[in-house]
Amino acid sequence: MEDKKADLAGHKANMMSLDGCSTTKEDNPVEDKIKEATASTNITDGVSAPENKKLSLMSLNDNKAGMKGLDKEKINAIIENASKGSKFYAKQKENQARIDEQIRRLKDRHDALTEKDLLCARQEADLFLEHLSASLDLSRTLVHVDMDMFYAAVEMRDNPELRDKPMAVGGMGMLSTSNYAARKFGVRAAMPGFIGKKLCPELVIVPTNMKKYAEVSEVIREVFREYDVNFSPMSLDEAYMDITDYLDLHPDTNPWDVVQEMRGKIEAKTQLTASAGIAPNTFLAKVCSDLNKPNGQFMLSPNQAEILEFVRKLSIRKAFGIGNVSEQHLNAIGVKTCEDLYLKRGEIKLLFSHISFESYMQISQGMGGNRLEPPEDRIRKSISTETTFKDTSDRDTLLDLCKELSAELSEDMKTKEILGQAVTVKIKTHDFKIRTKVRQLADPSNCKDTIYRAAKQILLYLLDSAEQQPLSLRLMGVRMSELKNRDEVRSRQRSIFTFFKPPTTEAVEEADRPAGPSSNTPTGPSVTLQRFACPVCDEDFVGLNTLNLHLDTCCPAEKSEDLGLQNPSNSVSGICADPLRINPSVQTKLNTLCSSDSSGGTLKCGNENPDDKSAKLVVEVENENLTCPVCFSVSFSSEDKLNSHMDECLNKSEIENLLGPHESVVSSKRKLESTPSLHSKKPRLHSNKIDSYFRKS
């Protein structure tokens, strides 16, 4: 075992020397400044003995590259003192109290375990580990490339004056990243800027420029594509690659040289450095990429014994999926390293969930994913955008922010050519409480107005239903889920508009596109192959003829009689079932009844008698977005105006006059078919039945 450990250490030293990296500590005047910062802060000022206990949730995570050897206790004291009295600190105390209670219960359960329980659990864990070993695959060569302090490096490249200064990118509210000079003070990403200033008074904070970072990222990705066209980007500054196929095509090279060449190309094109890890799976590659930062690389051979030795002393915080809270729970039962995950496998089996147990066992064996899915097979579950701002309860300001986020989300979705059907709004209140609510759309969409309408309703609900009024927010986000690619979305009529819209064979760009008649709509056989959903029972049918026959039996006869439609089949087929083919007699009488005003802007009935109900059919035409599905003569800019028009256009007496007595004769056969039988499907009773569209308001 010791020989293998020595070999691994020698292998690591050789690789570091090849890359020009050194682990020796260099003298740096920046290191002395942190002593001044910590010395100038009275750690115990105003802190009573009971409050001297540090909040674990707020402790510094020093697993970031460039943060080794820091005085963590002093830095944590500065962070905590800078936060005391704030709403954030109060919320963290509340969260920590909840975690402490969870740990107390966990320890009670741990103390109650018997040796027999642990023995049985270890045996079950060993069986699972045997199953894992049988599926072990070390045949692939995975690479994880991570740009060094990416955002900060771009700013330092463009402004050389920043290179020798501790600097960070972000704002006083939150930092996105920091350079290595700032990390020596404990300044890191996901830290408020004002705390960074407390740790390092000389810290220079540069605003973010995402457009610039995205442009640089695209240059880097072009290099990645040379080695793996199916590379998997995790963010703008990191990605996974499977170079196995590349190595097969270039048998005269090796993984180390390939990755070194790749990093050299990135630096030549961007003047930025990258670090990389080479290993048989993504978990190990990610860990390895962090070992020789900055501007270095580390390779772990595909040997199971060497992998186990490498993982043995690895901190659990290095593993993906183990954060601050999980670390506290595991520390409570004596787990600090990945080797402890294996030694405590019995306790973990009994005290944690089955999913957590399996994940921890895979980590203990250094196992992870070793296949990168092709881009077309990668399923994205959601897409979102959010922003943090100064506390405000002003409704207009919050609605403007919601509108901006909806537009930003819509633009991002259109760029990626995806649509979504579930809108979620996330808010964080002034006291750091998070609330979310989701709303379903009728059809998939990426339209900014559609997203904003749903998000606005959710936001207003969250604001109005809060106990504290007015509710002040500090963060807002809008997320779209239930995503579909644009070419996956097909036309389905889920409302009165799409039911009457002429079907086309073209791809649907947006499912909730306003309906209206089309002059170039095909009427040939291709139209009859479209699928339609029954507006009564929501079942799918191929072709209008099939739908018409179904509607005759799906709509109860008595409902048609109540509406004044003596012939359900004719009324459905002639007026609303087939928007491409209106009953000729109905069309003639509609044309006689209604005529366009030559002055434009209104539609007036032919009869100017004010006592005649038909003369009330006067509407403003502003934007031709929504077309009346009865007369197909007028378009409206809003649903309210369309509904008002339809109340008149679907007047019972007008329908009876239009249909005429010769179209009101119902054959006994039709009556028999329209009568529900014991074997016929019972229509569902809900508010959007077909007869509701013909009911007089």
Side-chain angles (χ1 to χ4, degrees):
M1 181 69 73
E2 293 299 323
D3 292 337
K4 292 179 180 177
K5 185 174 182 181
D7 291 341
L8 179 61
H11 181 55
K12 178 178 177 181
N14 290 335
M15 288 186 291
M16 294 174 64
S17 63
L18 283 171
D19 201 50
C21 299
S22 175
T23 57
T24 58
K25 186 176 180 180
E26 298 179 0
D27 294 332
N28 194 321
V30 178
E31 294 182 354
D32 298 330
K33 296 180 182 178
I34 193 168
K35 298 180 180 178
E36 299 174 8
T38 54
S40 62
T41 304
N42 190 344
I43 298 174
T44 58
D45 281 351
V47 182
S48 58
E51 293 182 347
N52 238 352
K53 180 183 177 182
K54 301 295 184 292
L55 291 180
S56 298
L57 272 178
M58 299 185 65
S59 69
L60 178 72
N61 178 15
D62 59 354
N63 286 300
K64 195 79 172 174
M67 303 188 72
K68 296 300 181 183
L70 301 182
D71 192 335
K72 193 173 178 179
E73 289 298 321
K74 290 185 178 180
I75 293 175
N76 284 338
I78 295 175
I79 294 174
E80 191 164 342
N81 284 341
S83 304
K84 280 181 179 176
S86 66
K87 296 174 182 177
F88 173 75
Y89 184 79
K91 180 62 176 177
Q92 291 296 79
K93 283 187 67 176
E94 179 184 329
N95 292 338
Q96 187 61 56
R98 185 179 67 253
I99 295 171
D100 290 342
E101 177 60 23
Q102 294 172 355
I103 292 175
R104 185 192 64 77
R105 293 198 300 266
L106 183 67
K107 287 183 175 180
D108 289 343
R109 292 172 56 203
H110 177 270
D111 295 340
L113 296 177
T114 65
E115 194 60 38
K116 182 179 179 180
D117 294 334
L118 291 173
L119 180 61
C120 293
R122 290 191 192 104
Q123 291 174 348
E124 293 180 14
D126 290 339
L127 289 175
F128 178 74
L129 290 172
E130 288 180 10
H131 174 71
L132 285 181
S133 298
S135 61
L136 183 64
D137 183 4
L138 303 177
S139 63
R140 310 298 293 182
T141 303
L142 278 295
V143 179
H144 179 260
V145 177
D146 189 8
M147 301 300 296
D148 300 322
M149 51 178 185
F150 181 53
Y151 295 174
V154 174
E155 298 297 341
M156 292 165 62
R157 179 197 67 178
D158 296 343
N159 184 2
E161 294 181 0
L162 298 173
R163 292 179 180 177
D164 298 325
K165 297 179 181 179
M167 60 86 63
V169 176
M172 294 301 288
M174 192 61 63
L175 300 178
S176 299
T177 191
S178 61
N179 65 2
Y180 287 95
R183 293 181 191 183
K184 293 181 180 296
F185 291 88
V187 180
R188 59 161 295 157
M191 173 181 285
F194 72 91
I195 291 182
K197 283 283 191 180
K198 289 282 186 180
L199 292 170
C200 178
E202 298 178 7
L203 181 69
V204 178
I205 300 178
V206 179
T208 56
N209 188 338
M210 296 306 298
K211 182 179 179 181
K212 178 166 64 174
Y213 309 147
E215 291 173 353
V216 178
S217 176
E218 187 56 37
V219 176
I220 297 169
R221 292 180 179 184
E222 286 298 324
V223 177
F224 292 161
R225 291 186 182 97
E226 296 180 23
Y227 300 90
D228 181 12
V229 293
N230 292 325
F231 76 96
S232 178
M234 305 307 294
S235 61
L236 291 179
D237 65 332
E238 65 174 316
Y240 288 102
M241 280 166 285
D242 186 345
I243 63 172
T244 308
D245 295 339
Y246 183 88
L247 293 171
D248 292 340
L249 293 174
H250 301 80
D252 55 334
T253 187
N254 60 76
W256 181 267
D257 293 338
V258 168
V259 174
Q260 199 165 36
E261 176 187 86
M262 181 194 309
R263 292 174 44 242
K265 288 183 179 180
I266 292 174
E267 185 173 6
K269 291 186 176 183
T270 65
Q271 292 78 55
L272 304 174
T273 62
S275 298
I278 311 165
N281 61 57
T282 54
F283 163 51
L284 296 174
K286 170 73 172 176
V287 174
C288 290
S289 68
D290 201 49
L291 293 180
N292 282 341
K293 272 183 167 288
N295 196 23
Q297 61 188 58
F298 185 91
M299 185 171 74
L300 186 60
S301 300
N303 179 279
Q304 187 174 12
E306 187 174 333
I307 291 173
L308 291 175
E309 181 61 28
F310 174 80
V311 172
R312 193 168 69 88
K313 296 301 181 183
L314 201 63
S315 169
I316 56 174
R317 196 64 186 272
K318 286 283 188 180
F320 177 79
I322 299 182
N324 186 290
V325 177
S326 298
E327 182 183 31
Q328 292 187 56
H329 288 162
L330 290 169
N331 287 347
I333 62 171
V335 176
K336 296 183 181 295
T337 66
C338 292
E339 182 184 35
D340 294 334
L341 290 172
Y342 172 75
L343 297 177
K344 295 283 186 177
R345 60 193 182 282
E347 289 85 343
I348 294 175
K349 173 70 175 174
L350 295 171
L351 299 175
F352 292 83
S353 69
H354 182 69
I355 294 177
S356 296
F357 164 75
E358 290 188 351
S359 176
Y360 294 155
M361 290 303 100
Q362 289 178 348
I363 293 172
S364 72
Q365 303 301 300
M367 300 182 68
N370 63 352
R371 292 291 193 280
L372 301 182
E373 292 182 336
E376 60 271 14
D377 294 339
R378 296 170 193 163
I379 301 176
R380 185 167 189 168
K381 295 183 178 180
S382 65
I383 183 172
S384 64
T385 181
E386 65 180 38
T387 183
T388 304
F389 44 87
K390 188 176 180 180
D391 294 5
T392 180
S393 60
D394 183 69
R395 290 289 179 100
D396 292 337
T397 301
L398 294 175
L399 288 175
D400 288 342
L401 285 170
C402 182
K403 191 171 186 178
E404 291 175 7
L405 290 172
S406 300
E408 184 179 336
L409 179 60
S410 170
E411 187 67 26
D412 198 10
M413 294 179 68
K414 289 178 179 178
T415 302
K416 295 177 172 60
E417 296 188 340
I418 55 177
L419 296 87
Q421 200 165 351
V423 178
T424 302
V425 172
K426 169 188 173 182
I427 62 171
K428 183 183 287 185
T429 61
H430 63 97
D431 53 355
F432 290 85
K433 294 180 180 178
I434 297 177
R435 295 185 63 192
T436 61
K437 187 173 177 60
V438 63
R439 182 182 180 88
Q440 293 288 131
L441 300 179
D443 293 286
S445 175
N446 58 14
C447 173
K448 65 180 181 180
D449 294 332
T450 302
I451 297 174
Y452 174 62
R453 281 196 298 268
K456 178 182 177 181
Q457 292 178 352
I458 299 172
L459 177 61
L460 293 176
Y461 172 83
L462 292 173
L463 294 175
D464 293 337
S465 62
E467 295 181 2
Q468 183 179 355
Q469 294 292 337
L471 184 63
S472 182
L473 305 184
R474 69 183 315 273
L475 179 145
M476 185 189 305
V478 180
R479 180 173 69 246
M480 183 73 85
S481 54
E482 297 185 19
L483 303 180
K484 295 178 175 64
N485 292 327
R486 192 175 69 172
D487 54 2
E488 294 178 0
V489 180
R490 63 183 180 88
S491 178
R492 276 189 57 114
Q493 72 280 3
R494 295 185 179 273
S495 64
I496 186 72
F497 308 113
T498 50
F499 176 67
F500 289 112
K501 185 173 66 174
T504 67
T505 56
E506 299 176 357
V508 179
E509 177 176 325
E510 191 174 327
D512 61 343
R513 187 190 311 166
S518 176
S519 59
N520 60 352
T521 301
T523 57
S526 59
V527 176
T528 61
L529 296 178
Q530 295 292 317
R531 298 187 66 87
F532 299 89
C534 173
V536 181
C537 66
D538 205 33
E539 286 190 11
D540 280 351
F541 297 91
V542 178
L544 288 173
N545 292 336
T546 307
L547 176 63
N548 291 340
L549 293 175
H550 166 76
L551 282 171
D552 292 342
T553 58
C554 197
C555 295
E558 60 272 14
K559 290 293 183 181
S560 300
E561 294 173 0
D562 292 341
L563 295 171
L565 305 176
Q566 286 77 15
N567 189 339
S569 62
N570 282 343
S571 60
V572 171
S573 301
I575 294 182
C576 59
D578 190 349
L580 301 178
R581 179 172 48 82
I582 304 177
N583 188 300
S585 61
V586 176
Q587 183 65 65
T588 301
K589 294 184 180 182
L590 280 172
N591 293 337
T592 304
L593 176 66
C594 299
S595 61
S596 298
D597 186 5
S598 59
S599 61
T602 61
L603 177 73
K604 295 183 178 180
C605 295
N607 188 351
E608 296 293 334
N609 183 2
D611 296 330
D612 192 339
K613 291 184 179 180
S614 63
K616 296 180 181 180
L617 191 61
V618 180
V619 292
E620 295 288 337
V621 182
E622 298 177 359
N623 291 315
E624 295 188 1
N625 291 329
L626 304 173
T627 302
C628 174
V630 179
C631 63
F632 292 99
S633 301
V634 193
S635 297
F636 302 88
S637 61
S638 68
E639 295 180 4
D640 293 336
K641 293 181 179 181
L642 174 63
N643 291 338
S644 300
H645 166 75
M646 288 180 63
D647 289 342
E648 295 294 339
C649 204
L650 289 174
N651 183 281
K652 294 180 185 178
S653 59
E654 294 297 337
I655 292 178
E656 291 175 349
N657 292 334
L658 290 172
L659 292 177
H662 66 283
E663 295 180 354
S664 301
V665 179
V666 182
S667 65
S668 58
K669 180 179 179 181
R670 280 297 187 189
K671 285 184 178 180
L672 181 61
E673 291 178 350
S674 63
T675 303
S677 65
L678 294 177
H679 302 289
S680 64
K681 184 174 181 180
K682 184 178 180 180
R684 292 185 298 183
L685 299 178
H686 46 71
S687 59
N688 62 339
K689 294 189 298 184
I690 188 66
D691 57 87
S692 65
Y693 300 122
F694 294 94
R695 187 177 296 116
K696 201 173 182 181
S697 60

